Amino acid sequence: MQLDQNPFFRKAITSWYDSSFACWLLIAMMLLVFVFSLAGVIVALGEPAFEAHLWFPGFLAFLSGFLALKVFIRLKIRSNKG
C-alpha cells in the first residue's frame, strides 16, 4: 500500500535552520555584517593606501545585503501562504 505523498490534513515540518526564528536571526546577523562592511568602505575611502582594497568590504556589503533580502522575501512568501 502506497503512502499519500501530500496529505491535506498534515502541516509540513520545516527544518530548524529554516524556522522563522532562525531566519530572523540570520537577517539580524547579516545586517550587522552589512553595517560592519559599510564601515570598512568608509575607512577604505578615507585612506588613499586602502583604496585598492575597497572591493572587499563592498563585495561583503553586497553579499550580506543580498542574503538578508533573500531570506526576508522567503519569510514574506511563507507568511502569505499560511
Side-chain angles (χ1 to χ4, degrees), residues 1-79:
M1 184 167 138
Q2 289 185 345
L3 295 174
D4 189 10
Q5 296 298 327
N6 193 9
F8 64 91
F9 56 88
R10 292 187 188 171
K11 184 178 178 184
I13 299 172
T14 58
S15 304
W16 67 268
Y17 52 84
D18 199 25
S19 65
S20 294
F21 175 74
C23 288
W24 283 114
L25 185 66
L26 180 64
I27 290 171
M29 295 301 287
M30 287 301 106
L31 290 178
L32 287 174
V33 171
F34 184 77
V35 170
F36 177 73
S37 61
L38 286 182
V41 168
I42 292 170
V43 168
L45 288 175
E47 184 68 34
F50 296 154
E51 285 184 5
H53 305 289
L54 180 63
W55 66 271
F56 188 76
F59 190 59
L60 187 63
F62 169 74
L63 288 179
S64 61
F66 179 74
L67 184 60
L69 182 66
K70 190 93 165 145
V71 173
F72 182 74
I73 290 171
R74 177 190 298 175
L75 279 174
K76 282 299 176 187
I77 289 173
R78 190 183 326 162
S79 69

